[in-house]
């Protein structure tokens, strides 16, 4: 078995001794084919028994070994160490958007609590509660991707919306919600989608795409969120800023061939939402002072008729 030498810079933090985290370097002969988790275990077993990290299945199923490797979350048991050693070094930290309990272990209580809020169970009624509920392969295909989530929190670690607002349900919980909203055996779809359309739900995702990049299970959480938004709009749930933003965006381009950014905030907030409209004034003033406000008179753009034609075709 060939070995290669590498330095592992690992973030350490002991709440009983440390005020702030620090980094400690460990030199290790990395065995051929070793995963990042293998390396963490070797360091703990042969160099420093105080190093604290989580692991369980070692098969990319339980999700407990998620850590940040060179700045981004990965499953330590699934990630080949050789692929992450850059210039003879590797940096390992706890996942982001979570309180560090010790070293690479974080508090996931807030993360798990979001799943409870989306009611991750089938809602049924009547005598069917005691009967088998069958589902066609086609219907299962609609929820297949979401069902592969292993709740590792990799998506939440790099989620910009979560970083800005911890009340946001987050990509993992919303992916789990899509699994039940689109389940053909569930009877609570309308209530579910109404709740998910409230503040901190499906419309608070900023489409940064980090959750898709970081998910180790191909759940593609942002796609699941888009699916929930589509379902919400099809069911006529328009009384929220996100849905009004979509309608205002489409109407603006459909009618004029361009996006009118001066009108869009008003349509998104709601024309009769006086408190909401007043809240836009300070933002508008700051944009004006910084020269960031959209022009009142737009420059001519060629082929605007083609844009309107495309929108009309899709609307049909």
């Amino acid at each position: 078995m060939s070995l290669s030498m590498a330095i592992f810079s690992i973030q350490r933090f002991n709440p009983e001794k440390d005020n702030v985290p620090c980094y400690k370097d460990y030199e290790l002969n990395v065995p051929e084919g070793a995963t990042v988790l293998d390396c963490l275990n070797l360091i703990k077993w042969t160099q420093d028994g105080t190093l604290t990290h989580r692991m369980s299945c070692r098969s990319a199923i339980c999700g407990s070994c998620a850590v940040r490797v060179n700045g981004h979350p990965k499953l330590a048991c699934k990630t080949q160490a050789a692929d992450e050693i850059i210039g003879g070094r590797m940096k390992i930290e706890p996942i982001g958007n979570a309180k560090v309990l010790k070293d690479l272990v974080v508090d996931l209580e807030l993360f798990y609590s979001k799943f409870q809020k989306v009611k991750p169970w089938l809602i049924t009624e009547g005598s069917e509660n005691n009967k088998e509920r069958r589902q066609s392969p086609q219907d299962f295909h609609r929820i297949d991707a979401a069902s592969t989530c292993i709740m590792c929190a990799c998506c939440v670690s790099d989620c910009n919306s979560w970083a800005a607002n911890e009340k946001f349900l987050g990509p993992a919980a919303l992916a789990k919600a899509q699994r039940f909203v689109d389940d053909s055996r569930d009877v609570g779809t309308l209530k579910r989608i109404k709740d998910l359309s409230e503040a901190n739900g499906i419309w608070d995702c900023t489409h940064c795409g980090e959750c898709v990049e970081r998910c180790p299970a191909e759940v593609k959480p942002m796609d699941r969120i888009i699916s929930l938004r589509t379902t919400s709009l099809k069911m006529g749930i328009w009384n929220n800023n996100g849905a009004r933003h979509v309608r205002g965006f489409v109407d603006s381009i459909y009618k004029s061939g361009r996006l009118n950014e001066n009108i869009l905030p008003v349509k998104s907030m709601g024309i009769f939402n006086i408190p909401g409209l007043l809240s836009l004034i300070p933002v508008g003033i700051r944009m004006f002072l910084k020269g960031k406000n959209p022009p009142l008179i737009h420059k001519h753009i060629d082929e605007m008729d083609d844009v309107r034609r495309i929108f009309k075709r899709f609307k049909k």
Side-chain angles (χ1 to χ4, degrees), residues 258 295-302 304:
R258 68 165 79 238
L296 295 176
I297 301 176
H298 293 86
K299 293 182 180 179
H300 174 73
I301 300 177
D302 294 333
M304 289 176 59

Side-chain angles (χ1 to χ4, degrees), residues 54 57 60-68 72-79 94-98 104 106-108 111-112 115 146 148-158 162 171-173 175-176 210-221:
R54 284 190 176 119
C57 72
I61 296 173
C62 73
S64 61
C65 66
V67 291
R68 278 189 295 186
H72 292 296
K74 297 178 181 290
L75 287 185
C77 70
K78 186 180 180 181
T79 306
I95 60 173
N97 287 331
L104 302 177
V106 300
D107 185 354
L108 292 174
F111 171 72
Y112 290 131
F115 288 91
T148 64
C149 174
I150 59 175
M151 299 171 66
C152 62
C154 282
C155 59
V156 167
S157 175
D158 278 15
W162 186 296
K176 183 69 71 175
E210 288 292 333
C211 59
V212 177
E213 291 289 327
R214 310 308 165 195
C215 176
E218 293 298 318
V219 176
K220 298 182 179 178

Side-chain angles (χ1 to χ4, degrees), residues 75-142:
L75 287 185
C77 70
K78 186 180 180 181
T79 306
Q80 287 291 304
D83 295 338
E84 300 296 334
I85 297 172
I86 303 173
R89 300 182 68 91
M90 183 191 302
K91 187 176 183 180
I92 303 178
E93 304 163 295
I95 60 173
N97 287 331
K99 177 184 177 182
V100 179
L101 296 178
K102 187 179 181 183
D103 294 342
L104 302 177
V105 175
V106 300
D107 185 354
L108 292 174
E109 183 177 354
L110 179 62
F111 171 72
Y112 290 131
S113 71
K114 302 299 178 70
F115 288 91
Q116 191 72 12
K117 291 182 178 180
V118 302
K119 298 182 176 63
W121 55 81
L122 282 177
I123 298 174
T124 60
E125 60 184 12
S127 59
E128 292 185 0
N129 286 331
N130 299 321
K131 295 182 179 180
E132 179 183 22
R133 288 177 289 275
R134 295 187 176 186
Q135 187 175 56
S136 70
Q138 292 78 14
D139 284 339
F140 175 72
H141 181 70
R142 296 170 60 194

Side-chain angles (χ1 to χ4, degrees), residues 244-316:
R244 285 192 292 263
H245 180 85
V246 170
R247 175 172 280 177
F249 193 103
V250 172
D251 287 347
S252 177
I253 298 179
Y254 177 71
K255 293 176 181 178
S256 64
R258 68 165 79 238
L259 178 63
N260 189 333
E261 294 180 280
N262 292 303
I263 299 299
L264 187 59
V266 177
K267 288 192 173 184
S268 301
M269 191 62 68
I271 298 176
F272 301 106
N273 181 5
I274 303 303
L277 293 175
L278 292 176
S279 70
L280 296 175
I281 294 177
V283 179
I285 292 175
R286 290 197 297 271
M287 290 178 63
F288 177 77
L289 294 176
K290 296 291 184 178
K292 300 293 185 180
N293 55 301
L296 295 176
I297 301 176
H298 293 86
K299 293 182 180 179
H300 174 73
I301 300 177
D302 294 333
E303 301 178 348
M304 289 176 59
D305 289 339
D306 287 342
V307 176
R308 285 194 291 266
R309 178 178 51 79
I310 293 171
F311 264 73
K312 287 179 181 178
R313 181 175 180 179
F314 275 101
K315 203 160 186 176
K316 290 180 180 179

Side-chain angles (χ1 to χ4, degrees), residues 123 180-183 186-194 231 235 237:
I123 298 174
F180 290 95
V181 165
D182 285 345
D183 195 309
D186 191 88
V187 299
T189 301
L190 180 59
K191 178 64 166 61
R192 288 182 187 276
I193 207 69
K194 282 183 176 179
T231 300
M235 298 186 77
I237 303 172

